[in-house]
Structures are given as structure tokens and as C-alpha cells.
Amino acid sequence: MTKPTILTGLRANNDLTIGNYFGAILPMVDMAKQKAGEYQINMFIPDLHSFTTPINHDELQEQIMNNARLFAAAGLPLDHDDIYLYRQSYISAHSELTWILNCFTGVGEMGRMTEFKDKTAKIGDDRVSVGLFNYPVLMAADILLYNADLIPVGDDQRQHLEFARDIAERMNSRFGDVFVVPKPVKEQHEFFGKDQGLRIKDLQDPTKKMSKSDDSGKGVIFLGDDPEAAAKKIMSATTDTEGEIHFDREKQPGISNLLEILTLLRGGDLQQTIGEFEGQTRYGEFKKVVANETKAFLATFQERLAAVSDEAITAKLRASESAMTQTANATLRRAQQTVGLRPKDS
Ligand code: ATP
Ligand code: MG
């Protein structure tokens, strides 16, 4: 009996932030650790998705490897038999199935995707690539090739997951059972637990989210930041003039953000952190605690990252890519037979 498959990926097109770490990488690694055994876990590096918007291609290879190293440094057990870690572009079935699915996808359907409309508005019509337009089709292929039914996604990817279900159902109803249809979003939420909605805020402007593509980077702690420099960013974080520490996201967004960051860094409980500092009046001393914790966290994490063996990573990638090529090619073959590209009995 094959185990049900959980599939998840994280696109890295810049150094990642502590927001990405606590909001995405760590939960992914924890989920993989918890569910492996009962489920097959496909963690992949969506490298073909990396340049749907313009990037510096000289850096891509290093970013792909770093993405894999980050998972390992965050505790992904590379030796677990149920956990696969692979690069999308190393399994050519992703590109091949995408082409087939493209021909059953409506232009209107892609044009209606909220993310496409948002990004187009941001980067301008003339810089938008066909790749950005139809990347939901590639994402559908990423999922369907492995018969994955559980895919944890945030709200921004919900529409794309629904498309993966639509195209699978469309192909199945036209050609018979070709694809496993992923579970509806509601069931996904029930399975993974409703998104905790964790959002670390920018240190300079705590009303907005900390983002890796922020231009100045002043309010952002990157995982690769020099620990001393990161501590300084914490010390110059925007606070307020209330003069007393309280957890109040509306009135004291800066202080509240620092309380949350401290809790995450310590791996503790928010109420406990609040209890420790509630009512204190010396913001400087409180910031110092957070700054020191940030420094220690980055120093330790960077050490762990440096200790990740590239040989171990490469061996894991190769083994997973070879195993997943088999699974993906079997699905691709079904799709090829279905549309008449291969004889039915091949
Ligand atoms: P960009 O500026 O390129 O959009 P980003 O930092 O917002 O970068 P994404 O690539 O959009 O990162 O998201 C990657 C993952 O990190 C997602 O799962 C997202 O929910 C999570 N994430 C991003 N920013 C934060 C944050 N500030 N706090 C918690 N989680 C975050
Ligand atoms: Mg984002």
C-alpha cells in the first residue's frame, strides 16, 4: 500500500527572513517530522517557479542549494525514508505535463487569478511573462504528478490549489481516471489545522509584514544577517510613546511585535513572555533582551547551516529525484496515453 502524499515547496529568490523561518520553514519541517511514517512527504524546491518574475540568474544555483540547506539546518531528517527532497527541474515530467495541461486550460481562467492580476499591477504589463501567467498550470502538474492529496497552502495560493482540483476533474471527466484529485481546501485546513496567521512585522514599520523583498532591509532580519548588525536592527526598532510595555497590536504594534519575536526565538509561550515584561517602562532594556536573543539565534542557526554537509544534501537530492522520477513518469505516461501521445497499452 502506498502512503498518502503530502506535498509542499518553498520558492527562494532571495535570502530568507526570520518571518519566513518561523512562518514557513519551521512549520514545514515540524509537519514533515510529525507526519512521516504515516504519510509520504514530498518537499520540493520549485526552481522552475523562480523566474516567473525577473531574478538574477547568476545567483539561482546557490539559492536552490541554500534552500535545501535551510531545510536541513531547520531540522529536516534527511535520512527518513518517507521524506523526499527534490528539485523540480530535475524531474522533466513537470515541464512535460505542464504542456499537456496548458492545452486544456482557458486563457480566461488564468487571467482571473488574483495573484496574476496583483503582480501585473505591480510590475507592469510589459514585464509580465507568459510564465507568470500560467504558473498555476505548472503548480497543478507539481501536485498531480505525485497523486498528492494534501497540500498545505496559505490564502494566497488557495485559488491555485482550486485550479489544480479543477483541471484534474476536467481531465478525469473527459478521459476517465487520469489524476488523483487533491482534497478540497476546507479539508486541507481541517487536516493541517487552520493557518495560525503568524505574521512577524517589519521592525521599522510594524504595521506592515516583514518581507524578504523589502528594498531597504532596515526593518528586516535576514537569516544571513551578521548577528551584531541584526541586534542593532532590533535596538533601533520603532516602538511608541506609551511608556509601558503591553501586548496590544493596535496601540503598541512595535512592542507587540518584539514580544512575539522574542517568544519565537526562545521557542516559548507568548503569555509567559508578556507576563515577564508587562508594565515595565524601560523599552531599552527590553529591546536589549530581544537583541541578545536574536544575536544568539542567528549565530547558532548560521553555525548549523554551515555545518550542513553539501554531500549529504546532494545525496538526498539525487536519491529523491531518482525515486520521484519514477512516480512522476508513471503519471505522465497515463496522461500521454490519455491524450493519444502514447499507445494505450504502452
Ligand atoms: P516577498 O517579499 O518576495 O513576497 P515574503 O517574505 O513575503 O517575500 P513569500 O515568498 O511571500 O515571502 O512567502 C514565503 C512563506 O513565508 C509563506 O509561507 C509566507 O506565509 C511566509 N511568510 C512570509 N513573511 C512572513 C512573516 N513576516 N511572518 C510569518 N510568515 C511569513
Ligand atoms: Mg510575500
Side-chain angles (χ1 to χ4, degrees):
M1 258 287 289
T2 51
K3 296 176 181 175
T5 299
I6 300 177
L7 179 135
T8 178
L10 180 65
R11 186 173 91 123
N13 46 356
N14 201 348
D15 191 12
L16 299 183
T17 72
I18 56 168
N20 302 136
Y21 181 78
F22 290 110
I25 297 177
L26 211 52
M28 278 162 77
V29 168
D30 285 345
M31 182 276 294
K33 284 202 271 196
Q34 276 171 31
K35 306 284 186 197
E38 214 178 324
Y39 294 86
Q40 175 182 316
I41 315 290
N42 282 28
M43 318 234 346
F44 76 110
I45 302 169
D47 52 357
L48 292 170
H49 287 284
S50 291
F51 45 97
T52 50
T53 51
I55 61 159
N56 179 351
H57 291 263
D58 291 336
E59 291 171 3
L60 182 57
Q61 196 43 231
E62 180 56 19
Q63 278 162 354
I64 291 166
M65 285 308 287
N66 206 44
N67 196 327
R69 289 186 204 113
L70 285 172
F71 283 127
L76 186 73
L78 294 181
D79 54 359
H80 202 299
D81 286 346
D82 287 335
I83 299 179
Y84 294 90
L85 180 69
Y86 56 93
R87 292 160 290 190
Q88 179 191 37
S89 74
Y90 279 68
I91 300 170
S92 57
H94 288 255
S95 302
E96 295 183 65
L97 182 60
T98 299
W99 181 258
I100 295 176
L101 298 181
N102 269 339
C103 300
F104 295 89
T105 300
V107 169
E109 180 168 45
M110 290 295 100
R112 280 193 295 277
M113 293 291 173
T114 311
E115 214 210 338
F116 174 70
K117 288 196 279 191
D118 288 352
K119 285 230 170 90
T120 307
K122 222 164 131 187
I123 62 182
D125 277 338
D126 47 345
R127 292 188 70 203
V128 170
S129 69
V130 174
L132 179 67
F133 177 70
N134 76 342
Y135 97 79
V137 183
L138 176 58
M139 182 169 156
D142 297 339
I143 297 168
L144 302 179
L145 280 173
Y146 303 97
N147 312 312
D149 41 20
L150 292 157
I151 304 100
V153 293
D155 273 349
D156 55 337
Q157 293 299 321
R158 189 192 171 110
Q159 225 183 351
H160 300 159
L161 182 57
E162 266 154 14
F163 170 72
R165 285 173 43 77
D166 287 349
I167 187 84
E169 277 168 354
R170 185 176 312 161
M171 298 298 279
N172 288 352
S173 73
R174 172 140 180 210
F175 298 105
D177 277 348
V178 191
F179 297 116
V180 171
V181 181
K183 289 201 192 303
V185 174
K186 194 167 155 278
E187 281 178 46
Q188 308 266 357
H189 282 326
E190 282 160 13
F191 180 82
F192 291 108
K194 192 88 182 110
D195 178 16
Q196 301 296 296
L198 167 73
R199 280 290 172 261
I200 293 188
K201 299 294 197 291
D202 185 272
L203 299 170
Q204 290 294 314
D205 177 0
T207 59
K208 67 171 208 201
K209 173 182 101 61
M210 186 182 280
S211 248
K212 62 173 140 65
S213 58
D214 179 85
D215 289 333
S216 87
K218 273 195 193 155
V220 181
I221 308 277
F222 290 101
L223 293 172
D225 271 353
D226 167 56
E228 286 294 343
K232 288 206 182 96
K233 288 183 187 172
I234 298 278
M235 291 310 289
S236 54
T238 304
T239 49
D240 55 69
T241 53
E242 298 283 316
E244 251 185 47
I245 295 177
H246 294 287
F247 187 80
D248 184 332
R249 285 202 184 93
E250 292 294 310
K251 274 208 243 150
Q252 303 187 259
I255 287 287
S256 305
N257 189 37
L258 291 175
L259 285 164
E260 286 200 299
I261 291 175
L262 181 60
T263 306
L264 290 164
L265 293 170
R266 287 174 166 176
D269 168 68
L270 181 62
Q271 288 313 318
Q272 207 175 336
T273 316
I274 296 171
E276 191 179 331
F277 293 97
E278 178 91 53
Q280 290 190 15
T281 53
R282 296 198 185 134
Y283 284 7
E285 279 179 23
F286 166 59
K287 280 180 165 179
K288 206 158 191 175
V289 176
V290 186
N292 282 334
E293 203 73 47
T294 305
K295 205 159 71 179
F297 166 78
L298 285 181
T300 310
F301 184 74
Q302 289 168 8
E303 246 172 58
R304 282 217 305 270
L305 192 62
V308 171
S309 141
D310 275 3
E311 286 86 77
I313 293 280
T314 309
K316 179 72 179 177
L317 289 170
R318 293 240 167 91
S320 299
E321 282 154 9
S322 155
M324 288 304 103
T325 295
Q326 306 282 321
T327 312
N329 281 351
T331 311
L332 177 64
R333 176 56 60 106
R334 269 199 323 270
Q336 289 170 327
Q337 288 170 333
T338 278
V339 299
L341 287 170
R342 294 289 182 277
K344 289 265 190 277
D345 54 3
S346 65

